[in-house]
Amino acid sequence: MTDLIRNLILRWRDDPAGTYQSWFLWDERLKNFRSIRRGLQQVVTEIAEGTFGVAYRGSSLETVVHSIAEQRQIFKGADHAFLWKPKLRIPDIYENPANQKAFGQLLDTCLCCTTEEHMVSAIHAIDARKIKGLGPAVANLLYFLHPTIMPPFNTAIVNGYNALTGSKVKLGRWEEYLAMRQGILKLNATYRSLLSNDLGAVGGLLFDLGSGRYTAPPLENDETARKLWEADLHQVREQSAKETRILAAERETDHTHTEIQGWLRDLGHSLGYDVWIAANDRSRPWQDGKLGDGCLSVLPGFTTETQGAESVRLIDVLWLDRESHRIVAAFEVEHSTTIYSGIVRMLDLALGSEAQALEGLFLVAPDKREADVREQLKRPAFSRIADLKVRYLPYGALEKDRVAIARFGQGLKPIQAISHLLTPV
């Protein structure tokens, strides 16, 4: 059985449309962790201060869960469990103040603590309250706080775990999740050399099993069943037309994101600035070299001890004054995903311990997304945006005018001229 699972994992890792390559190795995935943590801190603060409200729609929790659900494949539908269902009065954390505070305490404990014991104890505490409709779907929030301790959770992951192990884990109960978690930890320990300390990898494997992309090895010691399974595993599967379109669109998104970063890199250099490229994007291929070629390898003023430094180093593009080494402008490229993570990184830069007199904060996105971005900025989670004077820089304007700006422009005035101030209505 061990050899069969090993063969399954090896095949899955090489599958360009499987969750390992399309989500787990996706650079944008890593950028979401800090922003989701910040969002959950805001949820905890609002619950503690009594300002969270009595509805999911428009709440800070909706903003965070929405940013999780918009990720590729594995978290689609993550918001279903939190949607307020009035007739059923679930999940009962909106209109019941005591339950709401207990939910806030769970998040607060998991935000502050780093040990398995503390988090499991917090789960037992929330489970003891028997809050109607608030079950293991919350584990998707906890995963982004402690990815090496808490595996993600959804129907497909449970189905995949049951198929692979012969278990009968049921949905909706914390004790079932905790039992499955122990099994997942053992499975991950056995195959860690092929998976990761981050439980998102094994979660992705179980998701692809449970969603039917792969079949689990036969549990019985039957040679015929084994051969049939191996034949299925090695068969070149024909992707559906829909899956092919989705995969092509995701790859195009990554390509476009890098291209826009490349334009901003070259434009910054032409205008006489030093340029910083997001730490996890520097090695991306661009033109005849790497995206980080000719850019700063160290971000001045942001050491490992600087509050928010990790987040700032993930901003897509920064322009710095060559003499003072101060950051002049920050650019977040938002091609198709939620703007939440980018805004949080800008907040860390503009309001953190190393806050600087920035001349420009820019969201760079397709022309057609401006209305969507303005709508998202109405959320309570983005209440500080008006103070930051973030500007919207459309792809079309950047593509059309970047060459002329590079030749004749000075400072940020030309970029400001082709962008629009984003002030929530």
Side-chain angles (χ1 to χ4, degrees), residues 301-328:
F302 288 86
T303 66
T304 54
E305 289 77 26
T306 305
Q307 183 180 5
E310 180 183 356
S311 179
V312 172
R313 283 197 289 267
L314 292 176
I315 292 177
D316 286 323
V317 181
L318 297 172
W319 289 355
L320 293 85
D321 182 88
R322 285 183 175 170
E323 294 184 1
S324 66
H325 304 301
R326 303 291 286 179
I327 297 172
V328 174

Side-chain angles (χ1 to χ4, degrees), residues 68 89 125 170 174 179 181 196 236 246 313 336 345 368:
I68 293 174
R89 312 204 77 74
K170 297 178 182 178
W174 276 112
R181 174 183 168 275
S196 171
V236 178
I246 292 173
R313 283 197 289 267
S336 61
R345 289 191 286 274
K368 63 183 180 182

Side-chain angles (χ1 to χ4, degrees), residues 11-203:
R11 169 69 177 170
W12 170 72
R13 279 164 47 106
D14 290 336
D15 183 354
T19 54
Y20 185 75
Q21 290 201 32
S22 65
W23 172 71
F24 188 74
L25 298 183
W26 183 38
D27 288 338
E28 292 300 307
R29 181 184 78 92
L30 299 177
K31 291 185 177 182
N32 288 318
F33 281 87
R34 180 174 176 83
S35 58
I36 289 170
R37 170 176 282 271
R38 278 284 299 270
L40 291 176
Q41 287 172 334
Q42 182 173 354
V43 173
V44 169
T45 298
E46 291 179 4
I47 291 176
E49 294 177 350
T51 59
F52 179 79
V54 295
Y56 176 72
R57 293 296 188 189
S59 70
S60 53
L61 178 62
E62 183 194 23
T63 303
V64 177
V65 176
H66 185 68
S67 71
I68 293 174
E70 280 195 346
Q71 292 195 58
R72 294 176 178 174
Q73 297 172 306
I74 187 171
F75 288 107
K76 287 181 179 178
D79 55 343
H80 293 170
F82 296 93
L83 292 173
W84 172 234
K85 304 168 184 65
K87 292 183 179 179
L88 299 175
R89 312 204 77 74
I90 58 174
D92 196 12
I93 56 172
Y94 303 116
E95 296 183 351
N96 185 313
N99 287 346
Q100 188 178 109
K101 288 184 178 179
F103 175 60
Q105 184 59 53
L106 168 69
L107 296 180
D108 188 42
T109 299
C110 293
L111 277 162
C112 298
C113 299
T114 59
T115 67
E116 176 181 3
E117 291 76 15
H118 278 109
M119 278 176 281
V120 172
S121 177
I123 288 174
H124 283 308
I126 197 76
D127 186 34
R129 294 190 64 88
K130 302 302 177 186
I131 299 175
K132 187 165 62 174
L134 190 74
V138 177
N140 287 328
L141 304 180
L142 306 186
Y143 164 73
F144 280 93
L145 298 179
H146 298 285
T148 63
I149 298 175
M150 293 294 166
F153 172 91
N154 58 30
T155 302
I157 290 174
V158 172
N159 290 341
Y161 178 78
N162 287 339
L164 188 64
T165 64
S167 303
K168 296 182 180 179
V169 173
K170 297 178 182 178
L171 292 166
R173 299 177 62 181
W174 276 112
E175 62 183 29
E176 299 270 345
Y177 168 80
L178 291 174
M180 182 180 73
R181 174 183 168 275
Q182 288 296 330
I184 288 176
L185 290 175
K186 292 177 182 177
L187 180 68
N188 194 65
T190 302
Y191 301 99
R192 182 174 285 119
S193 63
L194 299 177
L195 294 168
S196 171
N197 287 332
D198 183 331
L199 297 175
V202 66

